[in-house]
Amino acid sequence: ENDMLMVSSSSTSPMLAIANDRLFRTCPTDFVQAPAIAGMLESWGIEAIIIFQRADSWGDGIYNILEQEWTDRGHVILERVRYAGEATEYSNYLQTINDKIAAAADTYGYDAIAVQGMSFSENVVYTTQTVDYPETRKVIWFGCESTGRQQRMIDDAGESCVELRHFSSLMTPAKSWKWESLESRYTALTNQPAGFYTGCDYDAAWVQVLSILNTGSIKADDSAEVFIDVARNYWGATGWVDLDDNGDRKPGVFDIWGYYEKDGEVGFQSWGQYNGVTLEVIWDDALLAANGLVRPSTQ
């Protein structure tokens, strides 16, 4: 009605996967995030999880898919803990998680229990607060695309994020001269590493430009008609921007990010990969072993 369209480089909610709308997304949705989470948890050797999530459409969207995926694989959700997105204090929530882990440890063992977080930058706060809840530090933590490769976590949570790990999948930019050029320029300008969503932002802008050039028109009505086809024929900074019929990015290969410490310095690195096409998880067991980690599933 208003000759508008919207392009997102970071929205992942499954609720927005709608055909023939005017919303296009250059990042994949959580329809692939939930199977990736389940695959990572299962291949690690986890049997029972506690969900710790934002009480919003994003967190609920991932949970709804993950619950089905996880239980269909024959595993257990011990507890679902939802917190308000505006929360700044997590003591009550962490106490609940702490007690639930303690109660389940005799049945499953700490190695087979994990906390699955669905959070944004607030994960920095609750990660530091886990020091007061010892049971929460005895299990491995997993996250989502916003968790495992976060500079604020390194700056403000330090050793706590290393102890919990926060293994999280994030789609990997295809390595090409376009990505290398964007990455070097972005780092020089911001003194921060470029991430997948940085590239999605960049590619979203270029697909808009190319749609305008393709139609010779700045009207959104015209661009919307060709946007998906233009994206499907565009190799961007993140790789092939192949959109599905809902206008959302098709999944590719995801890195499994998490934190490590070396010589007193905390950083994030890839510990393996999840292939969003073949649905296969591959951990770098040699790298894990070099950092004192062994997957329980391999013992």
Side-chain angles (χ1 to χ4, degrees):
E1 294 176 354
N2 297 299
D3 186 31
M4 297 174 65
L5 60 79
M6 180 161 61
V7 185
S8 175
S9 61
S10 58
S11 167
T12 61
S13 172
M15 297 175 67
L16 296 177
I18 304 168
N20 301 314
D21 63 0
R22 291 291 187 86
L23 170 60
F24 304 99
R25 296 188 279 188
T26 55
C27 63
T29 74
D30 290 327
F31 280 118
V32 71
Q33 181 76 228
I37 290 171
M40 289 189 299
L41 289 164
E42 188 174 57
S43 61
W44 188 267
I46 300 303
E47 299 174 19
I49 61 173
I50 297 169
I51 303 292
F52 190 31
Q53 62 148 114
R54 290 176 63 93
D56 58 16
S57 60
W58 174 77
D60 291 341
I62 300 176
Y63 174 81
N64 291 335
I65 303 172
L66 178 60
E67 178 190 30
Q68 187 71 47
E69 184 79 25
W70 187 242
T71 55
D72 281 352
R73 295 177 184 228
H75 304 306
V76 176
I77 297 177
L78 296 170
E79 187 79 18
R80 181 189 185 189
V81 180
R82 297 170 81 244
Y83 63 86
E86 63 273 16
T88 57
E89 171 57 47
Y90 301 91
S91 297
N92 290 339
Y93 305 115
L94 291 171
Q95 185 66 62
T96 298
I97 295 172
N98 190 84
D99 295 345
K100 185 59 65 170
I101 293 171
D106 286 343
T107 302
Y108 298 99
Y110 291 109
D111 285 347
I113 300 172
V115 177
Q116 173 60 54
M118 302 167 190
S119 60
F120 296 151
S121 58
E122 68 272 10
N123 54 24
V124 177
V125 179
Y126 69 63
T127 293
T128 60
Q129 291 180 352
T130 59
V131 296
D132 297 322
Y133 304 91
E135 296 293 310
T136 68
R137 313 275 285 202
K138 296 179 182 179
V139 301
I140 201 80
W141 286 55
F142 285 72
C144 295
E145 73 275 2
S146 58
T147 305
R149 193 178 189 274
Q150 190 181 137
Q151 187 62 45
R152 273 196 62 200
M153 189 75 89
I154 294 173
D155 295 339
D156 299 336
E159 292 184 3
S160 291
C161 65
V162 174
E163 187 167 344
L164 301 185
R165 298 297 175 180
H166 290 291
F167 291 127
S168 310
S169 64
L170 179 62
M171 192 162 158
T172 310
K175 299 301 185 287
S176 69
W177 66 265
K178 282 190 175 183
W179 171 253
E180 290 175 357
S181 173
L182 175 63
E183 186 177 39
S184 63
R185 288 180 287 134
Y186 184 87
T187 303
L189 284 169
T190 68
N191 201 31
Q192 296 285 331
F196 176 70
Y197 289 116
T198 311
C200 288
D201 238 353
Y202 184 85
D203 288 342
W206 266 111
V207 175
Q208 290 177 79
V209 169
L210 294 171
S211 296
I212 291 170
L213 294 175
N214 181 280
T215 60
S217 168
I218 60 171
K219 292 178 65 64
D221 284 342
D222 296 327
S223 291
E225 291 296 317
V226 303
F227 195 94
I228 291 178
D229 287 336
V230 169
R232 286 172 172 172
N233 287 282
Y234 173 64
W235 182 276
T238 58
W240 185 18
V241 188
D242 188 15
L243 304 187
D244 62 21
D245 291 340
N246 293 325
D248 301 328
R249 181 77 168 263
K250 293 180 182 178
V253 175
F254 294 71
D255 277 320
I256 301 172
W257 290 95
Y259 300 93
Y260 74 100
E261 182 178 5
K262 183 177 181 180
D263 300 329
E265 293 292 324
V266 176
F268 46 72
Q269 65 184 6
S270 173
W271 301 91
Q273 288 189 328
Y274 170 77
N275 190 312
V277 179
T278 65
L279 309 183
E280 181 182 14
V281 178
I282 300 175
W283 292 92
D284 189 336
D285 287 317
L287 179 62
L288 290 168
N291 285 268
L293 296 170
V294 178
R295 287 187 292 137
S297 63
T298 63
Q299 294 178 322

